[in-house]
Amino acid sequence: FTRNYEQAVPIFAVSLIGVLLTIAVTSPMLRAFDEFRFFRLKLYAVLLPLTCVALYAGIKTAGLLGAISAVVAIQSVDLTITVLVIGRKLGISMRDLRRLAPIARSAMASAVAAVATFTARLALSHSRPMLSLAAGAAVFGAVYLLGAFLAGAITDAEKAELLRFYRVGSRRIGLSSATEIQ
């Protein structure tokens, strides 16, 4: 994008949050239970007026950024309510959330890597875009791997596979230390 789109960056950023919300696919779960046949209709009968109010307030307060923020906020409310209803039907409790610990560890490593990448990007803000992209990718990859190892997001089997991958690659490029490791 050129400088013409610079003012639209915040709108794109908020819109990307809305795209992330589509990761949670709830429709098949709702269709699986007969009692949820009209759930979406009932939910949107309540959310539609709320959406209109939120859009009006968002546009009056912050223009286009307020509008997209209102839409993403309503999408978040929709998803939260839907997930809670499905979770209640399936008998999911707060104790079951501990099963998400491996995902939380990966998310934590990603967040730390994102902050490090953003910092590197700021430091390289006046450099060429390709250099900034390459440095950002290198920083994210290195910090994420280190963070994933430290947070315990990588299992022992994955660590063994990474070590095997390292050994094979090191032998191919002729590193002498790789041939000594058996």
Side-chain angles (χ1 to χ4, degrees):
F1 294 107
T2 63
R3 295 274 182 223
N4 297 337
Y5 292 97
E6 193 169 342
Q7 292 181 344
V9 169
I11 295 169
F12 292 151
V14 173
S15 182
L16 285 175
I17 295 169
V19 171
L20 286 175
L21 294 175
T22 63
I23 291 172
V25 181
T26 58
S27 296
M29 293 298 296
L30 291 174
R31 282 182 289 205
F33 298 103
D34 197 37
E35 65 198 66
F36 292 139
R37 184 180 318 172
F38 297 108
F39 173 77
R40 306 281 315 156
L41 180 65
K42 293 174 189 175
L43 179 61
Y44 274 93
V46 173
L47 288 181
L48 186 60
L50 185 63
T51 302
C52 292
V53 170
L55 277 171
Y56 180 79
I59 291 170
K60 286 293 184 186
T61 305
L64 289 176
L65 182 60
I68 193 65
S69 297
V71 168
V72 170
I74 296 298
Q75 286 177 336
S76 299
V77 170
D78 170 23
L79 182 62
T80 302
I81 291 170
T82 304
V83 166
L84 288 173
V85 166
I86 291 170
R88 184 174 296 141
K89 174 64 179 172
L90 296 176
I92 297 173
S93 68
M94 292 301 280
R95 285 184 328 211
D96 296 324
L97 292 180
R98 72 183 191 293
R99 297 179 189 269
L100 297 176
I103 295 170
R105 289 185 198 112
S106 292
M108 184 175 60
S110 292
V112 170
V115 169
T117 304
F118 183 73
T119 305
R121 183 178 173 269
L122 287 177
L124 297 171
S125 63
H126 298 293
S127 64
R128 295 181 178 264
M130 196 61 186
L131 175 66
S132 181
L133 178 65
V139 168
F140 186 89
V143 173
Y144 176 77
L145 276 176
L146 180 64
F149 270 102
L150 293 176
I154 299 177
T155 65
D156 290 336
E158 291 167 335
K159 288 177 187 176
E161 186 65 26
L162 282 172
L163 186 59
R164 187 189 69 76
F165 179 72
Y166 168 75
R167 287 178 184 162
V168 169
S170 296
R171 281 189 201 122
R172 285 187 182 163
I173 62 172
L175 290 178
S176 61
S177 62
T179 57
E180 296 171 11
I181 301 173
Q182 295 298 331

